[in-house]
Amino acid sequence: MQHIDIHKLADNARFNRFHAGVLAWCAIIIICDGYDLAVAGIALPSIMKSMGVTAQNAGFMVSSALFGMMFGAIFLGTVADRIGRPRAIAICLALFSVFTAAAGLTTDPYVFSAMRFLAGLGIGGVMPNVVAQMTEYSPRKIRSTMVTLMFSGYAVGGMLAALLGKGMIEAYGWQSVFLAAGVPVVLIPFILKTLPESMPFLIRQARIGELQSILTRMEPRYVAGATDRYAVPVHDRADGAPIGKLFQDGRGFSTVMFWIAFFMCLFMVYALSSWLAKLMAGAGYSLGSALTFVLVLNFGAVIGAVGGGWLADRFHIKYVLVGMYALAAVSITLLGYKVPTEALYVLVGLAGASTIGTQIVTYAYAGQFYPAAVRSTGIGWASGVGRSGAILAPIVIGTLVGMQLPLEQNFVAIAIPAVIATIAVSLIRHGRSASAALHAAPATA
């Protein structure tokens, strides 16, 4: 009879077709999610003209999805630890596909906002689940790289929306880009059949045959035996309320620090995406179309996410993040000063890398920090709290823009959260993380 530590087996597995399949499915889901999130911004001018809404009402219509994302991240991240991860991911995919398509069938701004809120539940809810999935099934040596590579699909989805949106809107109207978002719903049966369930969840459900099938595909060198016993570290057992476990075993202070970091980073991301073009136009720069801005920001995000993940696999992920947040503070501050246009594009790319890219690496760190049994819950709550920063950012920076402050002060206001996030991440107690507690005594099943 063998006693198998499932996490050690996953940590030491060699990358193979199983890992590539998990990565591909999660990346596809994230690309669809990123498209759904970006599509409203791409179509907003046409929506405003079609529905005859004011800029203020249009802002509410966009923010309704952000409110949905906040609740979705918290609720559907927590639910996944109860009902299983593939089911939760399928629910999220159904929500954001069906209700984004439904928004394309509306002619009333209030109905549109309600549809976007419901879609936001899925957009926000899928994030903690795919991060938890990728974290659990990635070999330890390349874990951060795989998570950030998968998550860079958000930027790909955003670029896809930007590239396809203009042509589709001109040819078929703004409704077409929303209806196209409903196509991914056909993936749900394949996700439920193909995406592996969380290993601790299978042990708790006594689904040992399914667990053995996953283990042999994940690590072909392992030969399952009828009498094998499967172990989960004690800190991975889901005893008691999952939310309460975020504050157990000395994780409470670090949980709060993660919440602060998520809040500050998402504040920066949405402050830049909402006001960068307006601020630069007001400063007299001729930077081309908004499409170019979307591409530069998202291209920088891909470089920052993948590069940050690569660094995190070779150095301490906590200190890589501290450096990335510090880079955000510097690059965003420099955007407020007069520089050549070429240098400005470089700074915009760095801002994308150190805000959107850094947010993705922060997700990777949160995924490694929490035990598998509450990983989706931990990431979901951090993401949900962070969404309040995304909601506040356009309002706060918009108020400052209305005060007609000097350009430098506006960008300093956006950069200050980077300083706060740098401090918060530096205070995270890494010794309390799940990745640092692998020596804990296992529980068998």
Side-chain angles (χ1 to χ4, degrees):
M1 181 175 67
Q2 298 184 83
H3 290 268
I4 308 299
D5 184 330
I6 57 173
H7 290 328
K8 188 173 291 185
L9 202 65
D11 286 347
N12 299 324
R14 296 173 183 172
F15 183 86
N16 59 36
R17 290 176 61 185
F18 171 83
H19 301 97
V22 175
L23 175 61
W25 271 117
C26 289
I28 289 169
I29 293 164
I30 283 293
I31 289 170
C32 297
D33 203 35
Y35 177 93
D36 276 58
L37 182 57
V39 71
I42 298 298
L44 191 60
S46 299
I47 295 172
M48 290 175 64
K49 184 178 179 180
S50 173
M51 295 189 183
V53 297
T54 64
Q56 184 178 10
N57 287 335
F60 174 77
M61 291 164 67
V62 172
S63 67
S64 60
L66 298 177
F67 278 101
M69 290 174 70
M70 179 172 64
F71 291 110
I74 293 172
F75 177 69
L76 290 168
T78 304
V79 163
D81 290 323
R82 300 286 192 184
I83 68 172
R85 208 167 288 146
R87 287 183 182 177
I89 290 172
I91 290 170
C92 293
L93 183 63
L95 283 170
F96 70 70
S97 296
V98 170
F99 287 107
T100 298
L105 300 174
T106 65
T107 56
D108 180 82
Y110 296 103
V111 177
F112 179 92
S113 298
M115 295 301 100
R116 287 299 288 166
F117 174 84
L118 293 171
L121 294 174
I123 296 171
V126 84
M127 288 186 284
N129 287 300
V130 292
V131 174
Q133 184 80 355
M134 205 71 253
T135 300
E136 180 172 341
Y137 284 111
S138 298
R140 190 175 187 184
K141 289 183 179 179
I142 57 171
R143 182 163 293 153
S144 296
T145 299
M146 287 189 67
V147 171
T148 53
L149 186 63
M150 173 271 297
F151 228 134
S152 63
Y154 263 108
V156 175
M159 288 188 281
L160 186 65
L163 290 170
L164 296 181
K166 186 177 181 181
M168 290 181 67
I169 291 170
E170 288 180 349
Y172 307 108
W174 67 266
Q175 295 89 346
S176 62
V177 291
F178 282 83
L179 294 174
V183 173
V185 77
V186 303
L187 298 175
I188 289 176
F190 302 99
I191 289 170
L192 291 172
K193 182 178 180 180
T194 308
L195 206 62
E197 183 57 85
S198 170
M199 292 182 289
F201 183 85
L202 292 175
I203 290 176
R204 294 197 303 271
Q205 296 283 314
R207 291 155 61 180
I208 303 304
E210 190 175 340
L211 174 67
Q212 289 179 332
S213 174
I214 290 171
L215 291 176
T216 53
R217 285 184 290 138
M218 179 181 69
E219 177 51 276
R221 292 173 295 180
Y222 166 66
V223 179
T227 59
D228 285 355
R229 304 278 288 177
Y230 298 96
V232 183
V234 171
H235 59 268
D236 274 357
R237 289 184 295 178
D239 299 325
I243 298 170
K245 287 203 73 174
L246 304 183
F247 296 88
Q248 292 177 3
D249 303 323
R251 287 189 293 268
F253 178 80
S254 297
T255 289
V256 175
M257 292 302 103
F258 269 114
W259 290 1
I260 292 172
F262 270 74
F263 179 96
M264 296 300 166
C265 196
L266 283 167
F267 184 98
M268 291 187 292
V269 168
Y270 282 86
L272 286 174
S273 62
S274 300
W275 290 106
L276 179 61
K278 176 68 174 177
L279 286 168
M280 285 298 144
Y285 288 101
S286 177
L287 294 172
S289 67
L291 173 61
T292 305
F293 265 117
V294 172
L295 293 175
V296 171
L297 268 172
N298 284 286
F299 181 75
V302 173
I303 300 300
V306 177
W310 183 87
L311 289 171
D313 280 329
R314 284 149 184 81
F315 305 99
H316 199 302
I317 187 170
K318 171 179 170 179
Y319 299 113
V320 170
L321 268 178
V322 168
M324 293 180 77
Y325 278 117
L327 176 62
V330 174
S331 61
I332 294 171
T333 300
L334 290 176
L335 285 173
Y337 294 88
K338 187 94 175 162
V339 296
T341 303
E342 295 79 6
L344 188 59
Y345 275 112
V346 172
L347 288 174
V348 170
L350 286 174
S354 57
T355 54
I356 304 171
T358 301
Q359 180 64 29
I360 292 169
V361 179
T362 309
Y363 270 105
Y365 189 22
Q368 296 175 28
F369 184 85
Y370 290 106
V374 291
R375 185 167 288 143
S376 294
T377 301
I379 301 169
W381 273 86
S383 179
V385 171
R387 286 294 149 195
S388 58
I391 293 166
L392 283 174
I395 301 169
V396 172
I397 302 303
T399 301
L400 295 178
V401 171
M403 294 169 63
Q404 298 184 334
L405 298 173
L407 186 67
E408 298 87 354
Q409 293 183 24
N410 285 302
F411 280 108
V412 166
I414 300 174
I416 287 173
V419 177
I420 298 172
T422 302
I423 296 169
V425 172
S426 68
L427 293 175
I428 290 172
R429 297 170 179 170
H430 185 78
R432 300 292 185 178
S433 69
S435 59
L438 294 175
H439 63 277
T444 60

